[in-house]
Amino acid sequence: GKTNKRGRYSDVWSNFADYGFDAPVGLCRYDAHRPPLRPGLEEIFDCILCDPPYGVRAGGRKSGGRKPKELQKEIPEEKRSTHIPSTAPYTLSECLFDLLKFAAKYLKIDGRIIYWLPTAIDTYRDEDLPTHPCLTLVANSEQLLTRRWGRRLITMKKHRAYDASLPVQMPKLDCPDMKDNNAQGSAPSLREHVMCKQSSEDKEALKRKNKESVPGRALYRGKHC
C-alpha cells in the first residue's frame, strides 16, 4: 500500500472498503505466465476482470531470465523465501495468449472474462481480437482516449468445457517489419502491431497529400526541391 495526498494509507483492502464491498477472503499474487495452481484444477472462477499491461508507461514482465530453463541453476531451499527471480519482457500479445488460455481452463461454464485492449481508432478491425474456441464474444465497447488511440473493453463468456488441444487464435499480422517470435503461434506485441498499422497509414496519407499538393515535384526529406 501507500499513503495518498490526504495522508491516508491505501491498499487493496481499503479499496474494497471505499466502495462498500466485502473484503475478499484472500489475495494471491503470482506470475500469470506460470500459474502455480495445482494440476487437474479447472473451472474455479465465476469471473476474471483485468487490465493487461499495454507497455506504454510500464512494460509487462514475466518470470524468467536470458538463460534457457534447462541452464538455470536451482535455488537452494534456505534461500527461496528471500529470492527475487529474474524477469523478462512480456509482450501484450503473449499476455493475452496466456490470459485467454487461463480463462478457458479456469472459468466455470457461463463464466466471463473482461479485459481492456488498446487499439488504433482508424485501423481497428474485429479480426484483430484474439479468440479461443471455448470463449464467445459477448460485448466489445470502445473508449476514445485521443483522436488516434483508444481502447476496447472486451467481454467473453465460456460456453464449453476446456480442451487442451484447442489453441488460442491470435490475429495474423500483415506488417512486413515484424516477425512472429512465439513458438506457440501467437503474434508479436499487439501494441507494436497497432502502432505499425497506424504509422503505415500515416505514411501513405502523407505521400498522397504531397503528390496532390505539388504534382510531379521531387521530394527530399519531406520538403519540396
Side-chain angles (χ1 to χ4, degrees):
K2 60 182 179 180
T3 303
N4 59 24
K5 295 181 179 179
R6 298 180 181 180
R8 180 189 173 192
Y9 184 78
S10 300
D11 57 12
V12 174
W13 313 110
S14 63
N15 287 340
F16 280 85
D18 290 341
Y19 286 98
F21 297 149
D22 295 333
V25 176
L27 181 65
C28 298
R29 180 182 178 182
Y30 56 82
D31 187 353
H33 185 62
R34 296 181 179 178
L37 304 179
R38 70 173 186 267
L41 191 64
E42 295 182 6
E43 299 186 0
I44 58 176
F45 297 120
D46 297 304
C47 181
I48 298 175
L49 178 64
C50 57
D51 187 9
Y54 301 165
V56 177
R57 289 177 295 181
R61 309 287 297 182
K62 64 179 180 179
S63 299
R66 297 179 180 178
K67 296 182 180 179
K69 186 176 180 179
E70 57 272 11
L71 297 180
Q72 297 178 11
K73 296 181 179 179
E74 184 176 355
I75 307 302
E77 186 67 30
E78 64 274 12
K79 295 184 178 180
R80 290 189 177 185
S81 60
T82 58
H83 174 69
I84 300 177
S86 301
T87 61
Y90 197 28
T91 63
L92 177 59
S93 62
E94 192 176 8
C95 177
L96 293 179
F97 181 94
D98 293 336
L99 180 61
L100 264 62
K101 183 179 180 180
F102 184 92
K105 184 175 183 179
Y106 295 108
L107 274 179
K108 297 178 180 179
I109 298 296
D110 292 332
R112 300 194 176 197
I113 174 175
I114 306 167
Y115 67 92
W116 285 109
L117 178 70
T119 57
I121 297 174
D122 296 335
T123 60
Y124 167 79
R125 302 174 304 170
D126 288 338
E127 292 79 7
D128 292 336
L129 295 179
T131 61
H132 192 285
C134 295
L135 304 173
T136 301
L137 181 65
V138 175
N140 183 346
S141 308
E142 183 181 34
Q143 180 186 27
L144 303 180
L145 302 177
T146 67
R147 293 192 301 176
R148 294 179 55 183
W149 307 106
R151 60 179 183 174
R152 290 178 174 269
L153 188 64
I154 308 299
T155 304
M156 307 182 80
K157 182 172 71 173
K158 183 175 178 178
H159 66 273
R160 60 179 293 179
Y162 175 70
D163 185 347
S165 64
L166 300 176
V168 178
Q169 302 295 328
M170 297 298 292
K172 183 179 180 181
L173 301 185
D174 53 5
C175 180
D177 296 331
M178 306 189 65
K179 299 180 180 179
D180 192 342
N181 59 356
N182 192 315
Q184 296 171 313
S186 66
S189 169
L190 287 181
R191 172 178 171 268
E192 295 176 3
H193 173 45
V194 168
M195 298 182 69
C196 177
K197 290 173 60 180
Q198 187 68 39
S199 61
S200 297
E201 297 238 345
D202 290 345
K203 290 179 181 179
E204 292 298 324
L206 181 60
K207 288 181 180 180
R208 289 194 299 269
K209 182 178 179 180
N210 289 332
K211 289 181 180 180
E212 293 173 358
S213 59
V214 185
R217 298 287 297 277
L219 296 178
Y220 177 71
R221 293 187 180 180
K223 299 181 179 180
H224 294 293
C225 300

